[in-house]
Amino acid sequence: MSRRAVTLTLASVLVLVFALAGSFMPVPYVALMPGPTSNTLGVNDKHEPLIKIDGRQVYPATGHLNFTTVTYRGGPGNRIDLFTALRGWIEDDVAIVPEETLFPKNESAKQVDEENTRQMRDSQQNAEAAALQELKIPIATQVVVDAVQKGKPADGKVRPGDEVLGVDGAKVTGVGQVTESMARRKPGAAVALAVRRDGKEEKIPLTTVASADGKRAVIGIVLGEQYKFPFKIDISVGDVGGPSAGLMFSLAIVDKLTPGSLTGGRFIAGTGTITPDGKVGPIGGIQQKMVAARRAGATVFMTPADNCADALAAKPDGLRLIRADTLHNARQALEDLQANKPVPACTKG
């Protein structure tokens, strides 16, 4: 064999070796795939009702109102290889996205998991509030301490989870009221918080300090609002995070609290965030969620209005898309579907 032929052969082998090695090199991308779906009208992995309501009459519910999920491969410390990424790009039910889409550079994987858990918790509370307001069932709110800043006056005196009842003797009904009260004070001013902790009321005297920019008086607490429901609603979904199941939770609660069936026995799935006043918001992974729903047997998919364009472009055969922009409209659409009336659909426009 000539020297030139040997050189070309060796070069080809080296190119092949490098190509094969490169295909198994980790890349900063994540593969999104269809995940499990769960019937909000059914039971969870522990064979307990996924949504349990105590203290209020409930009605039998038939059919399915499934929330959908997306699973992923990759992420910090467990990156996919180039071959997996290339294969994902050509598969219809897989989306390859930059790692930062799920794991921001300034957050660890643990922080992302904690945030997803918090979003699921908030989503459940929002879903409960939206459902009860849709049914005109009165609910109250309470102001609670979400966090206490280290080194500030409240540190060691106020605890996360404390319910704030009053400021300087004035009853508290919302976070804004506390904010306005603090805005009228100067650093060094005294403030007395009335809180409820473990069922007992306490008064906590504090002295304000200047904020980091020196423009405000602060005591170092972060406040949030929680709803006080007139009866108990438990939502148990296991190891699932994120806010996108809100709409389906709300629909299931409405179904359980009203006679008849919203589904008419159909297998309905869907997705969408929910606000306490019933507004439905967009989500990520709509393509994978529709595939998961259709594989599970769904024939109808509740689709957030802002996701309609992407959903239409990737809709699986046999899946009917219903546009949902509010809980009320989604509920009405399911009732109209049973009555063979027109329902709001996703359109290209």
Side-chain angles (χ1 to χ4, degrees), residues 184-198:
R184 295 192 294 266
R185 302 170 193 273
K186 295 182 179 180
V191 58
L193 286 185
V195 304
R196 180 181 288 117
R197 178 186 301 163
D198 298 329

Side-chain angles (χ1 to χ4, degrees), residues 9 46 91 119 122 130 132 135 193 256 266 305-306 313-314 325:
T9 300
K46 297 179 180 179
E91 294 181 351
Q119 289 180 347
D122 292 347
L132 268 58
L135 297 175
L193 286 185
K256 285 174 172 282
R266 291 181 174 85
D306 290 342
D325 50 12

Side-chain angles (χ1 to χ4, degrees), residues 249-312:
F249 289 153
S250 288
L251 287 171
I253 294 169
V254 168
D255 201 359
K256 285 174 172 282
L257 292 175
T258 53
S261 171
L262 276 181
T263 70
R266 291 181 174 85
F267 194 134
I268 295 167
T271 188
T273 64
I274 198 80
T275 63
D277 58 354
K279 292 184 176 64
V280 178
I283 51 80
I286 187 70
Q287 177 183 351
Q288 289 71 40
K289 290 178 178 179
M290 289 191 301
V291 171
R294 189 69 187 106
R295 287 177 179 172
T299 56
V300 176
F301 194 84
M302 308 302 293
T303 311
D306 290 342
N307 287 119
C308 270
D310 290 336
L312 279 172

Side-chain angles (χ1 to χ4, degrees), residues 125-146:
Q125 180 176 254
N126 289 349
E128 295 167 16
L132 268 58
Q133 293 193 84
E134 168 67 15
L135 297 175
K136 304 296 188 294
I137 298 174
I139 56 177
T141 59
Q142 59 184 11
V143 178
V144 296
V145 177
D146 281 343

Side-chain angles (χ1 to χ4, degrees), residues 3-324:
R3 180 178 296 179
R4 182 177 181 182
V6 171
T7 302
L8 289 174
T9 300
L10 288 174
S12 298
V13 171
L14 287 173
V15 169
L16 179 60
V17 169
F18 285 131
L20 287 172
S23 67
F24 292 102
M25 291 179 60
V27 292
Y29 289 89
V30 175
L32 304 181
M33 300 165 289
T37 77
S38 298
N39 185 12
T40 56
L41 300 177
V43 297
N44 58 23
D45 293 340
K46 297 179 180 179
H47 302 288
E48 300 170 344
L50 193 145
I51 297 178
K52 184 178 181 181
I53 300 174
D54 290 322
R56 186 86 174 191
Q57 181 177 0
V58 295
Y59 300 88
T62 61
H64 286 248
L65 283 173
N66 281 44
F67 73 85
T68 51
T69 65
V70 173
T71 61
Y72 69 87
R73 290 180 60 190
N78 188 34
R79 285 181 169 174
I80 60 174
D81 55 47
L82 179 59
F83 177 76
T84 300
L86 292 173
R87 186 176 61 188
W89 268 312
I90 63 175
E91 294 181 351
D92 292 338
D93 60 349
V94 178
I96 303 298
V97 300
E99 192 174 79
E100 292 83 1
T101 304
L102 270 67
F103 302 94
K105 290 184 176 180
N106 59 340
E107 294 184 15
S108 66
K110 181 180 179 182
Q111 288 174 315
V112 171
D113 287 341
E114 290 174 348
E115 174 63 15
N116 285 336
T117 299
R118 185 195 65 78
Q119 289 180 347
M120 172 57 80
R121 184 182 64 247
D122 292 347
S123 174
Q124 292 175 1
Q125 180 176 254
N126 289 349
E128 295 167 16
L132 268 58
Q133 293 193 84
E134 168 67 15
L135 297 175
K136 304 296 188 294
I137 298 174
I139 56 177
T141 59
Q142 59 184 11
V143 178
V144 296
V145 177
D146 281 343
V148 179
Q149 298 172 343
K150 290 185 177 180
K152 299 295 184 182
D155 189 15
K157 298 180 180 179
V158 181
R159 300 178 188 174
D162 285 350
E163 179 185 357
V164 180
L165 304 175
V167 178
D168 289 340
K171 184 179 179 181
V172 166
T173 57
V175 172
Q177 184 181 355
V178 180
T179 302
E180 291 175 5
S181 176
M182 293 300 298
R184 295 192 294 266
R185 302 170 193 273
K186 295 182 179 180
V191 58
L193 286 185
V195 304
R196 180 181 288 117
R197 178 186 301 163
D198 298 329
K200 298 180 180 179
E201 295 187 13
E202 298 183 25
K203 291 184 179 179
I204 304 175
L206 299 166
T207 301
T208 64
V209 296
S211 59
D213 58 12
K215 297 180 179 179
R216 297 175 294 113
V218 299
I219 56 176
I221 60 175
V222 179
L223 298 177
E225 291 184 355
Q226 292 183 352
Y227 293 95
K228 296 177 69 174
F229 301 112
F231 48 89
K232 189 174 183 180
I233 303 175
D234 282 330
I235 303 177
S236 302
V237 295
D239 188 20
V240 178
S244 64
L247 171 61
M248 304 311 291
F249 289 153
S250 288
L251 287 171
I253 294 169
V254 168
D255 201 359
K256 285 174 172 282
L257 292 175
T258 53
S261 171
L262 276 181
T263 70
R266 291 181 174 85
F267 194 134
I268 295 167
T271 188
T273 64
I274 198 80
T275 63
D277 58 354
K279 292 184 176 64
V280 178
I283 51 80
I286 187 70
Q287 177 183 351
Q288 289 71 40
K289 290 178 178 179
M290 289 191 301
V291 171
R294 189 69 187 106
R295 287 177 179 172
T299 56
V300 176
F301 194 84
M302 308 302 293
T303 311
D306 290 342
N307 287 119
C308 270
D310 290 336
L312 279 172
K315 182 179 76 69
D317 291 338
L319 194 64
R320 181 177 183 178
L321 305 184
I322 293 182
R323 188 181 74 250

